[in-house]
Amino acid sequence: MTGRVDELLALARSTRGFMPDEEGAALYEAARRAGAAAAARRDGAPVFVEIGAWCGKSTIYLGAAAEAAGAVLFSVDHHRGSEENQPGWEHHEPDLVDPADGRIDTLPHWRRSVSAASLEGVVVGVVGDSPTIASCWRTPLDFCFIDGGHGEEPAWADYRGWAPLVAEGGLLAIHDVFPDPADGGRPPYELWCDATGSGDWEEDAACGSLRVLRRLRRTAE
Ligand code: SAH
Ligand code: MG
């Protein structure tokens, strides 16, 4: 099994996306722990959700953990890119534009990544608007990774939509948390501050801009 995990982590590292190697390894490790904890708590496959998949880099890190833990990973993205990925913005990559309609489409890239990793058995793509999906979601989450739109409005919508769905004892990971404004945008850090200040979460792990929180108790349903 170690061979398979190493192979997947190497594949994730070489996949296009926005996740430094060390943070990816920490993401894998956190999800694997969440899966093991869920398996000890109850029967049934642990449920992982990622918000923001892009071309599938974090999907492979999390898919590797899902496979190891016997979990299912739901990978949520509309695959149209965030505001910051659109033409004229900082993180635009012109070759991801579909010439047929001039819009970003990362879905074919994501699909290729998941297929190349042979993870189609444990990864389910959910293509659509994250808050809309969250509003209809009922299954408690054992692991939730928030890395969708990083603007104020989308980041808070993801947090308000998904964080309440994390099971007691489950983990919430937030990417691009930068305490120093010189290092990056504010919203992910503000979500992390809200969570740590609420008393509902305890800090579990940190690596670079990746922060992992453990749910102590559930409040609003
Ligand atoms: N985790 C990825 C990077 C994600 S980039 C990696 O490892 O490389 C952020 C992603 O969030 C983009 O793919 C964008 O399409 C998605 N996104 C932004 N707003 C969204 C929304 N409202 N619903 C669904 N996906 C959204
Ligand atoms: Mg990110």
Side-chain angles (χ1 to χ4, degrees):
M1 272 319 279
T2 311
R4 170 70 174 152
V5 171
D6 288 346
E7 176 201 342
L8 286 175
L9 297 185
L11 196 56
R13 284 194 293 274
S14 68
T15 298
R16 182 171 183 166
F18 304 106
M19 173 76 42
D21 295 351
E22 282 178 15
E23 297 177 26
L27 182 67
Y28 162 80
E29 193 47 47
R32 200 196 51 73
R33 275 189 290 111
R41 257 193 327 263
R42 58 169 178 75
D43 293 336
V47 175
F48 298 173
V49 168
E50 81 164 331
I51 321 302
W54 192 240
C55 296
K57 190 178 187 70
S58 51
T59 312
I60 296 182
Y61 282 116
L62 293 172
E67 186 178 89
V72 181
L73 168 65
F74 295 90
S75 174
V76 174
D77 201 309
H78 53 34
H79 289 285
R80 294 305 191 183
S82 305
E83 191 177 36
E84 52 272 22
N85 305 123
Q86 302 307 317
W89 288 72
E90 191 188 348
H91 295 290
H92 182 57
E93 299 178 20
D95 66 303
L96 296 173
V97 172
D98 179 351
D101 61 5
R103 302 179 69 194
I104 288 174
D105 185 5
T106 53
L107 181 56
H109 300 261
W110 178 86
R111 197 174 175 89
R112 228 171 282 141
S113 300
V114 174
S115 166
S118 299
L119 281 169
E120 285 168 325
V122 294
V123 177
V124 177
V126 185
V127 180
D129 175 54
S130 158
T132 305
I133 297 162
S135 70
C136 299
W137 194 279
R138 294 291 173 271
T139 309
L141 310 180
D142 299 303
F143 186 85
C144 180
F145 174 53
I146 296 186
D147 191 25
H150 288 38
E152 176 126 5
E153 198 268 335
W156 279 97
D158 284 342
Y159 175 70
R160 293 203 175 101
W162 291 101
L165 293 162
V166 176
E168 227 170 85
L171 299 183
L172 172 68
I174 304 176
H175 198 224
D176 303 301
V177 171
F178 298 112
D180 182 347
D183 296 331
R186 298 281 77 201
Y189 173 67
E190 289 165 4
L191 312 186
W192 179 82
C193 289
D194 183 86
T196 52
S198 70
D200 292 347
W201 304 86
E202 67 177 1
E203 292 179 52
D204 175 84
C207 176
S209 74
L210 181 75
R211 295 286 186 285
V212 184
L213 301 162
R214 179 185 310 277
R215 162 78 77 192
L216 295 170
R217 58 168 187 256
R218 294 182 80 187
T219 44
E221 282 298 315

